[in-house]
Amino acid sequence: MQSIRTMPDLRTFKPFDSCVTLASASPWHLAVEDLLESMDRYQIAEALVIEQHARVIPPCEHGNRRLLEALRGKQRLHPVWVIAPPLAPGPAASRRLVEDMLAAGVRAARFPLNRTPPLPWMWQDLCRELEAHRVPCFLDFGGATTTGCPNDATMNDLHGLALQHPDLPLVFSHVMGGLGIHPGILHLLRRTPNTYLDTAGILEYWRETARDLGAERVLFATGTPFTDAGVLISNIQYTQGFDETAKRNMYGDNLRRLLGNVK
Amino acid sequence: MSRLLKDWIAGRGLPDTLVIDGHIHIGEWPHNTTFHSVDQAVAESVEYMDANGVDACCALSGGYMWTGTDYRLGNDFLLAVCQRLPDRMIGFLHINPTDTRDHIVAELDRMYGLGLRCIKLLNGYQNNYPGDGPNLMTLYEYAAKHRMLVFNHEWTPGVLAQISSQFPEIDFICGHYHASYDPVMRTRPNVYASTWAYGEMGQLDRGFANVGVGKFLLGSDGFLNPLSVGIGSVVFAPISDEDKRLILGLTQARLLDKVGVLPRALKERYGI
């Protein structure tokens, strides 16, 4: 039936997908051309893109460099580097890593927390450098896919990191825990204004976050190719209780603002 | 661009299209914020449906399906909501097969007597009770005799092939489509699947092509999820509008009408 109240047109939001993975790994295959075709199909304007092997096989820089090559000239696609703390302690190595990343035109980072736990003493140098540049950092709890969920110890560590680095945006990305996400996530969101939640995990957590903490804390994401964009694309558009500005922010302007803030 | 898709993208919902979400949950849920009272469920479910252009929902139980709870309380909650929304909520009673056979039959009798003709199962989460276990075979016999629809979160393909052959008079609906169901969906006329699956890119598109659109029923796991998680996958699919309409509501309507619970208001509105 017709909606009782017409919702805004999806195309006016210019959706910006904050979680897409280029993959040439069985059974998922997503090349740049496939991705652009999918984005056209679902009216997605832009996407943040990760390289699959950077997520799952160290050293990350191999996959990160391949990603830059693959995205060269593709204005709608923006690279995200998977990065982890350098072995060498102290700020110098972390500073070099972040400067390299920024010099390559990369304005977002992704933390592979499934294989590098967020122990604050291990991450503090890197987070300090990222914080100085206000780089948004996406928290990846997944294994083979970007879908995952933190455990108690990880939540505890993330609490420490978020408090120690209040100007570092930290995004809970593609979090999905079967019948629910870790309850600590909702508590942490309420205690640390620099944390965000994306919409790829469905359920109603993102909506609750937007309602209780503000739409500026939510970022649109599909988790392509590990989840089908058709499942996620219409959810913000058709949700009730938010005005057009709030929906536009969630669909893309929040992410554009975070990326625009990178120094 | 398809007219249905054009309307949906433009924010108009799905005008002139019967939309029945075949997989939504009503009731308190252990891990998430859903409706806490019958009044809230009645008021807010209508808001969700109206916002998304959904005519009606097949309402399955909530948290009282879990082992350690009394599923009859869940049925009471469900019934209370359905009785207040007779044109928009079609109730699917729940049975926990780990209960005794006598209790199970008593609850089936009670719910049947109150007008429910559809059953929802979740044995995979109930001590992993087998889909062809003795209590469920009793339930299938009851459903066959009383002409009822049976919906399950999940069966193994092998069990589904067996029970759908043994009970050809029952229409069986799998709660979450997966490609492992393709063979049984192709070969058994009385086996269907809900489209709702948090699946990988292209999963449903391949299912529509491999099995045929007539075996798929719109579903979302609302109101835990936005209802649009189900609709989006169908309206954006590379199939005709006619095929989309089958999935969005017409096939579900036929199955519900077969067991006598398709609301008259929907029949009249859409000329069914």
Side-chain angles (χ1 to χ4, degrees):
Chain A
M1 67 181 209
Q2 185 158 341
S3 296
I4 203 145
R5 210 169 15 255
T6 300
M7 296 295 182
D9 191 305
L10 175 64
R11 289 163 291 199
T12 63
F13 293 124
K14 297 186 172 38
F16 194 156
D17 190 344
S18 65
C19 182
V20 174
T21 305
L22 278 189
S24 59
S26 298
W28 308 283
H29 295 276
L30 184 70
V32 168
E33 294 68 33
D34 302 324
L35 171 57
L36 289 169
E37 191 180 307
S38 173
M39 288 167 64
D40 288 341
R41 173 174 166 179
Y42 292 106
Q43 314 293 318
I44 296 172
E46 299 174 80
L48 280 185
V49 184
I50 321 144
E51 204 272 354
Q52 171 68 348
H53 293 96
R55 293 186 56 250
V56 300
I57 298 185
C60 313
E61 41 271 32
H62 293 177
N64 291 337
R65 293 285 170 196
R66 275 197 296 270
L67 179 70
L68 291 182
E69 205 43 52
L71 300 190
R72 196 183 303 282
K74 304 289 188 291
Q75 305 297 321
R76 293 166 68 190
L77 305 179
H78 308 272
V80 181
W81 271 14
V82 177
I83 60 175
L87 277 176
S94 292
R95 187 169 300 137
R96 268 196 306 277
L97 174 56
V98 173
E99 285 172 356
D100 278 350
M101 189 179 86
L102 294 171
V106 180
R107 291 177 294 155
R110 194 166 181 94
F111 294 172
L113 298 180
N114 205 30
R115 53 185 171 87
T116 312
L119 304 169
W121 57 266
M122 211 162 85
W123 284 80
Q124 62 184 7
D125 293 325
L126 181 57
C127 285
R128 196 175 298 123
E129 295 304 319
L130 290 164
E131 184 179 20
H133 293 281
R134 303 291 188 271
V135 174
C137 300
F138 291 79
L139 307 176
D140 188 335
F141 305 100
T145 76
T146 49
T147 307
C149 199
N151 57 27
D152 293 352
T154 302
M155 281 309 308
N156 218 29
D157 293 332
L158 287 173
H159 175 248
L161 271 179
L163 286 177
Q164 284 168 23
H165 305 282
D167 290 321
L168 181 65
L170 296 169
V171 183
F172 283 89
S173 174
H174 211 180
V175 184
M176 182 65 179
L179 295 178
I181 64 176
H182 194 289
I185 295 175
L186 296 180
H187 286 265
L188 185 61
L189 286 165
R190 281 155 175 76
R191 285 159 170 74
T192 51
N194 55 325
T195 51
Y196 301 76
L197 182 65
D198 81 12
T199 62
I202 47 160
L203 295 181
E204 287 286 77
Y205 299 113
W206 65 264
R207 190 166 178 268
E208 183 187 319
T209 300
R211 182 193 66 207
D212 295 346
L213 303 178
E216 63 275 11
R217 303 286 295 280
V218 170
L219 306 181
F220 169 67
T222 67
T224 298
F226 308 115
T227 45
D228 193 281
V231 170
L232 288 313
I233 187 63
S234 308
N235 300 340
I236 299 172
Q237 180 191 10
Y238 276 88
T239 196
Q240 65 273 33
F242 297 99
D243 63 22
E244 196 166 329
T245 300
K247 292 184 180 184
R248 182 169 294 109
N249 283 337
M250 289 189 277
Y251 259 126
D253 284 359
N254 287 340
L255 180 55
R256 291 184 179 94
R257 187 179 61 254
L258 286 176
L259 295 173
N261 286 346
V262 174
K263 300 189 207 175
Chain B
M1 187 186 282
S2 118
R3 197 204 122 196
L4 267 178
L5 179 58
K6 208 178 280 186
D7 280 330
W8 179 255
I9 288 177
R12 290 188 283 269
L14 298 158
D16 306 317
T17 300
L18 171 62
V19 183
I20 302 177
D21 191 321
H23 187 163
I24 68 104
H25 291 278
I26 283 284
E28 308 100 304
W29 200 261
H31 71 289
N32 200 9
T33 306
T34 55
F35 310 131
H36 293 158
S37 69
V38 170
D39 286 343
Q40 186 187 15
V42 169
E44 294 190 18
S45 63
V46 168
E47 283 179 20
Y48 274 94
M49 287 193 277
D50 286 350
N52 285 269
V54 173
D55 290 279
C57 290
C58 294
L60 322 175
S61 234
Y64 290 98
M65 294 190 289
W66 256 244
T67 294
T69 61
D70 186 348
Y71 58 94
R72 291 166 296 189
L73 293 178
N75 287 338
D76 289 341
F77 190 106
L78 184 75
L79 195 60
V81 173
C82 293
Q83 284 172 341
R84 286 177 53 181
L85 294 170
D87 294 338
R88 306 199 72 178
M89 286 286 179
I90 301 131
F92 279 53
L93 72 99
H94 181 65
I95 294 291
N96 187 325
T98 63
D99 201 353
T100 66
R101 185 185 176 283
D102 287 347
H103 284 168
I104 288 169
V105 174
E107 184 65 358
L108 284 168
D109 281 340
R110 182 174 84 99
M111 287 289 111
Y112 186 86
L114 289 166
L116 268 64
R117 297 290 181 268
C118 308
I119 302 170
K120 161 65 160 68
L121 301 174
L122 189 68
N123 50 290
Y125 282 101
Q126 293 159 337
N127 298 348
N128 208 19
Y129 189 91
D132 58 355
N135 284 349
L136 284 182
M137 296 308 282
T138 295
L139 181 144
Y140 303 142
E141 284 161 9
Y142 189 102
K145 181 179 169 189
H146 292 81
R147 219 163 50 100
M148 300 176 82
L149 194 58
V150 178
F151 179 116
N152 196 350
H153 166 75
E154 184 181 58
W155 284 283
T156 65
V159 164
L160 186 53
Q162 172 211 329
I163 58 178
S164 61
S165 296
Q166 193 169 342
F167 300 100
E169 57 273 76
I170 299 176
D171 289 314
F172 292 90
I173 304 172
C174 309
H176 304 277
Y177 169 70
H178 188 271
S180 63
Y181 288 130
D182 284 2
V184 67
M185 285 174 73
R186 276 200 297 266
T187 55
R188 296 297 315 153
N190 55 331
V191 171
Y192 299 81
S194 172
T195 57
W196 171 236
Y198 191 56
E200 62 189 30
M201 183 179 178
Q203 175 174 284
L204 264 186
D205 291 352
R206 289 188 291 275
F208 295 156
N210 291 343
V211 174
V213 297
K215 291 304 207 63
F216 287 89
L217 309 169
L218 174 70
S220 68
D221 250 341
F223 297 95
L224 309 176
N225 292 336
L227 301 184
S228 46
V229 303
I231 297 173
S233 299
V234 178
V235 297
F236 280 95
I239 56 179
S240 69
D241 278 3
E242 189 182 345
D243 286 346
K244 291 178 189 178
R245 288 197 174 90
L246 283 176
I247 302 168
L248 289 168
L250 290 177
T251 302
Q252 183 76 69
R254 176 171 58 77
L255 299 184
L256 293 171
D257 198 30
K258 197 170 153 188
V259 298
V261 292
L262 181 66
R264 182 188 300 277
L266 292 185
K267 287 184 168 186
E268 289 170 359
R269 188 181 309 153
Y270 292 99
I272 296 170

